[in-house]
Amino acid sequence: MASSSASNAKPIVRADLVKIVAERLGRQPKEVDDVCEALINAVAGAMAAGRRVELRPLGVFEVVSRKERTARNLNTGEPVVVPARRAAKFKPGAKVRTALKGAS
C-alpha cells in the first residue's frame, strides 16, 4: 500500500520527466521530448497491433483480452453489460520492483 506522503505528493508528469532526463544527459528538453514522443508512439503502435513490448528492466507492456461481463449500475442496481475489449497490462521489471522494495 502507498504511504500517505506518497499519495499526497504531486505526480510526476511528462514535462517533469523530460526535464530530469535532459539535465542528466546534458540535452535540450525539446530533444528529449521528441524522443519521448517517438517512444510513446512506438509502444502504442506495437500494442495496437497486439504486440508485447519489453522495456527491460523497466517492465513489460502487453495487450490482454477482457471478456464480456455483466456488472451493476451502482446508482440504480440495474445489470449492465460491459462489452468485451482489449486492455493494456503492465508488469514491472526488476529495477522497478527493487525500487519499490526500498521505498517501503
Side-chain angles (χ1 to χ4, degrees):
M1 219 163 134
S3 67
S4 61
S5 62
S7 63
N8 294 332
K10 178 183 171 214
I12 294 178
V13 296
R14 178 176 166 162
D16 298 330
L17 289 173
V18 166
K19 182 179 177 185
I20 291 166
V21 172
E23 288 174 359
R24 285 189 184 170
L25 297 179
R27 301 289 187 164
Q28 293 296 314
K30 173 65 174 135
E31 187 179 5
V32 173
D33 189 59
D34 289 345
V35 171
C36 285
E37 183 68 23
L39 177 66
I40 291 166
N41 289 337
V43 170
M47 291 184 72
R51 297 189 61 194
R52 175 181 164 106
V53 179
E54 297 180 8
L55 297 176
R56 296 178 191 267
L58 176 65
V60 177
F61 296 87
E62 59 187 327
V63 178
V64 293
S65 295
R66 305 261 188 233
K67 294 180 181 177
E68 182 178 282
R69 64 187 177 89
T70 302
R72 275 216 188 267
N73 179 323
L74 295 177
N75 292 327
T76 65
E78 293 289 320
V80 177
V81 175
V82 178
R85 65 184 181 96
R86 295 187 318 162
K89 178 181 173 184
F90 175 73
K91 180 179 177 188
K95 198 162 205 168
V96 173
R97 287 192 311 270
T98 301
L100 292 174
K101 282 181 186 175
S104 307

